Amino acid sequence: MFLRCSEASCGATLDRHDRALACPKCGDLLELVVESLAEPAQLKRLWMERRCSDDPRDSSGVWRFREVLPDYAPDAVVTMGEGNIVLVRGARTATWAGLTNLRFKHLGWNPTGCFKDFGMTTGITEAKFKGAKAVGCASTGNTAGSMAAYAARAGIAARVFLPAGFVTLNKVAQSLDYGAEIVEVDGNFDQALAILLRDCGAGLYFLNSINPFRIEGQKTVMYELMEQLNWNPPDYIVVPGGNLGNSSAFGKALEELKAFGLIEKIPHLVVVQAVGSNALVQTWRANDGTLHVVEEPHTIATAIRIGNPRSWKKALRAIRFTDGMVIDVTDEEIAEAKAMIGRDGIGCEPASAATLAGLRKLVRAGAIDRDASVVALLTGHALKDTDFIIKSHQHVAATAETTAQ
């Protein structure tokens, strides 16, 4: 396994453990390359057999698929049994969206309550391997909590850069609980990331999703999903889009799964953004090869309130490879979808609900057939933003009282 520039026309390669954050030749993001795998049937059997193992790596829905990951000594892996996320059918939500076959994979049912744990187990493991004394990330909250937890497990100091006033108290409290140092930035996520990148030369190991080791962990969501579906992909996989690390990771996984003969059909990847933070949507529509940055991103879905997504090129590659789609939804549509997910007994944070809101919009527009098989990714637990839930219900109650008068 080695590092390679993600831009096909460049092709520059680096040693697997190089600490570069971008290609030294062209400046694009890097990715890890899996060179070869065993015969598909053998791998599928091995991965299933590991479910009966008491090896800590096999209790993880990430490291159980370690043939497609960087290799480390067994005792070097930093894991908390992340992954192993069940598929849940949404009865009321499916009807509301106009679908007959909708399932949710709720990545919020992870150790720290969000999808970031898939990538943080690999990212922190690599940081530990490299002897890092401190790790850092910019975050809208979820990355911070996940990094802080896994850093604590590894005995590494954590410093998180958060946009002041734009992160829920639940997420701030989580980072504090795990012992992270919090640096509040006067600005949004994009400005926090810029400050972090400036400080990375001061001994911090960088752990945002442009770190290719993060992407390797997050891609295993697709390996686990395909195994759950008996290696028969759904028609559509729908994911919310913020900094676009997940979209990039899922696209990379689907390319690998097809190339290595583990799946035959390629599902369509659908990325859903909030209207006020829709840089990828604008970029997709313009189709001019440049990122259309949203200078002042705004949305109630704080986890995807990002205007300058760093992984946009990788995300576009994933959408094109899967013949997928990009769509945006309003905050009102997100709030309504979130309420429906709650009524189904599932629950999620606002950003996750963008997937369901996008699905309903696409079905109504005739872009997705009502009988299509769909898996929607929910990325954060409902308890990540309890303030939103309380305020929503207070608003509903106040509206009902006004109407009654």
Side-chain angles (χ1 to χ4, degrees):
M1 185 173 275
F2 60 92
L3 284 168
R4 181 179 65 195
C5 179
S6 60
E7 176 54 54
S9 62
C10 176
T13 61
L14 295 85
D15 177 76
R16 187 190 106 182
H17 296 295
D18 195 299
R19 287 185 69 157
L21 294 177
C23 173
K25 185 177 176 182
C26 74
D28 271 314
L29 300 185
L30 299 169
E31 63 183 5
L32 282 154
V33 178
V34 181
E35 297 180 79
S36 62
L37 286 180
E39 194 270 329
Q42 179 184 342
L43 280 172
K44 292 175 183 179
R45 184 167 57 251
L46 173 64
W47 291 336
M48 185 60 72
E49 288 172 352
R50 283 178 179 161
R51 287 181 171 273
C52 300
S53 166
D54 60 1
D55 184 324
R57 296 172 300 169
D58 296 337
S59 298
S60 164
V62 174
W63 296 102
R64 190 161 57 85
F65 301 99
R66 54 189 172 272
E67 282 69 24
V68 297
L69 298 174
D71 59 306
Y72 303 92
D75 60 354
V77 172
V78 182
T79 177
M80 291 194 284
E82 55 288 319
N84 302 310
I85 306 297
V86 299
L87 281 174
V88 179
R89 287 196 177 274
R92 294 180 180 85
T93 44
T95 301
W96 183 80
L99 292 164
T100 61
N101 187 1
L102 172 63
R103 283 170 284 192
F104 292 104
K105 191 167 178 63
H106 200 328
L107 309 185
W109 295 346
N110 254 308
T112 75
C114 71
F115 76 93
K116 307 287 186 176
D117 296 352
F118 278 91
M120 211 54 75
T121 180
T122 45
I124 289 288
T125 296
E126 176 66 8
K128 179 183 173 184
F129 177 86
K130 288 177 176 172
K133 302 301 181 185
V135 293
C137 71
S139 178
T140 56
N142 283 331
T143 301
S146 182
M147 187 192 75
Y150 280 82
R153 296 291 293 179
I156 300 173
R159 186 180 302 161
V160 301
F161 293 71
L162 305 177
F166 291 103
V167 177
T168 70
L169 289 178
N170 306 69
K171 295 177 183 179
V172 174
Q174 193 175 30
S175 294
L176 288 170
D177 201 35
Y178 300 138
E181 174 191 351
I182 292 180
V183 179
E184 287 197 311
V185 175
D186 185 16
N188 57 34
F189 167 84
D190 303 307
Q191 291 158 329
L193 182 58
I195 292 171
L196 169 62
L197 286 167
R198 183 195 67 195
D199 287 2
C200 273
L204 283 180
Y205 181 77
F206 181 84
L207 272 174
N208 276 93
S209 59
I210 64 174
N211 181 316
F213 290 87
R214 281 273 315 275
I215 296 301
E216 290 305 292
Q218 286 170 224
K219 78 180 183 185
T220 60
V221 173
M222 290 295 102
Y223 283 84
E224 182 176 275
L225 174 61
M226 295 307 147
E227 183 184 65
Q228 289 172 316
L229 296 173
N230 197 27
W231 306 99
N232 180 29
D235 296 319
Y236 295 91
I237 295 172
V238 190
V239 60
N243 209 28
L244 304 176
N246 250 358
S247 308
S248 304
F250 296 169
K252 184 177 190 293
L254 293 171
E255 286 187 38
E256 290 178 358
L257 287 158
K258 185 68 170 67
F260 293 129
L262 291 161
I263 60 172
E264 294 298 324
K265 183 180 81 171
I266 301 170
H268 303 289
L269 186 64
V270 180
V271 180
V272 186
Q273 295 196 295
V275 166
S277 304
N278 64 350
L280 186 66
V281 173
Q282 292 189 41
T283 301
W284 178 258
R285 290 170 180 165
N287 193 28
D288 57 7
T290 61
L291 175 64
H292 288 249
V293 175
V294 177
E295 296 294 345
E296 297 293 337
H298 57 90
T299 173
I300 58 170
T302 57
I304 55 174
R305 187 189 286 158
I306 297 170
N308 185 15
R310 299 305 173 103
S311 297
W312 67 277
K313 286 187 179 180
K314 286 185 177 183
L316 285 180
R317 171 174 143 188
I319 295 160
R320 288 169 180 147
F321 174 75
T322 64
D323 191 23
M325 293 180 278
V326 187
I327 187 174
D328 53 10
V329 291
T330 66
D331 281 358
E332 291 75 18
E333 289 170 325
I334 290 172
E336 191 177 0
K338 174 176 162 43
M340 286 306 306
I341 292 169
R343 298 299 182 274
D344 237 342
I346 298 170
C348 67
E349 71 168 328
S352 298
T355 56
L356 182 64
L359 275 170
R360 190 187 201 200
K361 196 170 183 177
L362 289 168
V363 171
R364 288 183 164 188
I368 292 181
D369 188 84
R370 68 182 307 274
D371 294 322
S373 58
V374 180
V375 173
L377 279 294
L378 303 179
T379 49
H381 198 281
L383 297 181
K384 285 283 188 172
D385 192 349
T386 53
D387 189 51
F388 178 87
I389 298 171
I390 299 301
K391 286 182 178 178
S392 295
H393 283 267
Q394 287 174 338
H395 174 73
V396 170
T399 302
E401 183 178 349
T402 301
T403 302
Q405 293 173 352

